[in-house]
């Protein structure tokens, strides 16, 4: 296993160097995105003015505070509690997010499915897992909300965060067909079959 420190944005080669079981720390920039954002972008044809090429997105609808715009809060928001949501329900958006917007990394909880794994293989991407319940810790890794787009969807806006050493995160899916989640499913299925066989129970 290898630890990677990535200054965002990154190119395809940097992402293809990641392998399942490696750990990653991100620096500079991270984008927050969620169901409503993706639905509006890809089902309703909305475009964003934010440049996502080579970047990472985190599945989140953050709790933020409205404040007077200032140098510390240029768009009038400051982070309060920025956690991560379950990723699987956003499975169908991975390929278009990579193809149209150039996203390279997805951060979330619970992993994603075969469609995402195939997109990572074809286009060069990876899934970075974060532990559930770590929102307070994640928030300390975010220095500033630098920009926001599609804010009519608040809190499922498209957020641009300035980050400081965001991680370590675990590579749960890579561009080489590796998936910790598929491995666990296969292991569980095998153990179940062994138990059933040991007691003489059939399917």
């Amino acid at each position: 296993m290898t630890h990677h420190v990535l200054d965002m944005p990154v190119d395809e080669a940097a992402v293809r160097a990641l392998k399942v079981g490696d750990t990653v720390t991100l620096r500079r920039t991270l984008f927050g995105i969620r169901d409503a954002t993706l639905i509006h972008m890809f089902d309703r044809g909305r475009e964003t003015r934010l440049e996502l090429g080579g970047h990472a997105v985190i599945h989140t609808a953050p709790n933020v505070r409205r404040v007077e715009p200032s140098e510390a809060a240029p768009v009038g928001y400051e982070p309060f509690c920025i956690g991560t949501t379950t990723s699987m329900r956003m499975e169908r958006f991975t390929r278009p997010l990579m193809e149209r917007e150039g996203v390279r990394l997805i951060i979330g909880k619970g992993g994603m499915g075969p469609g995402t794994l195939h997109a990572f293989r074809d286009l060069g991407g990876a899934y970075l897992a974060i532990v559930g319940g770590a929102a307070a810790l994640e928030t300390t890794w975010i220095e500033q909300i630098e920009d926001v787009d599609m804010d009519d969807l608040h809190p499922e806006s498209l957020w641009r965060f300035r980050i400081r050493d965001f991680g370590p995160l675990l590579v749960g899916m890579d561009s080489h067909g590796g998936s910790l989640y598929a491995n666990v499913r296969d292991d569980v299925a095998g153990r179940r079959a062994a138990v059933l066989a040991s007691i003489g129970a059939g399917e």
Side-chain angles (χ1 to χ4, degrees), residues 82-102:
I82 298 177
T84 312
T85 192
T86 302
S87 298
M88 185 59 80
R89 64 181 182 274
M90 289 168 268
E91 166 82 356
R92 69 186 178 93
F93 297 111
T94 300
R95 185 174 290 272
L97 190 60
M98 295 181 70
E99 288 180 336
R100 193 181 95 181
E101 303 296 337

Side-chain angles (χ1 to χ4, degrees), residues 11-77:
D11 61 15
E12 182 177 347
V15 175
R16 289 200 183 274
L18 305 179
K19 303 289 179 59
V20 161
D22 286 355
T23 55
V24 177
T25 295
L26 304 180
R27 292 178 175 169
R28 294 183 181 168
T29 305
L30 174 65
F31 289 88
I33 203 165
R34 195 163 162 167
D35 311 54
T37 336
L38 292 162
I39 289 168
H40 277 255
M41 288 173 69
F42 297 108
D43 292 349
R44 301 183 184 177
R46 290 181 69 172
E47 296 184 359
T48 176
R49 59 179 173 77
L50 301 182
E51 175 53 59
L52 304 182
H55 281 285
V57 297
I58 184 169
H59 289 149
T60 186
N63 291 313
V64 298
R65 293 190 185 97
R66 287 190 182 272
V67 296
E68 286 297 315
S70 65
E71 185 176 344
V75 290
Y77 288 113

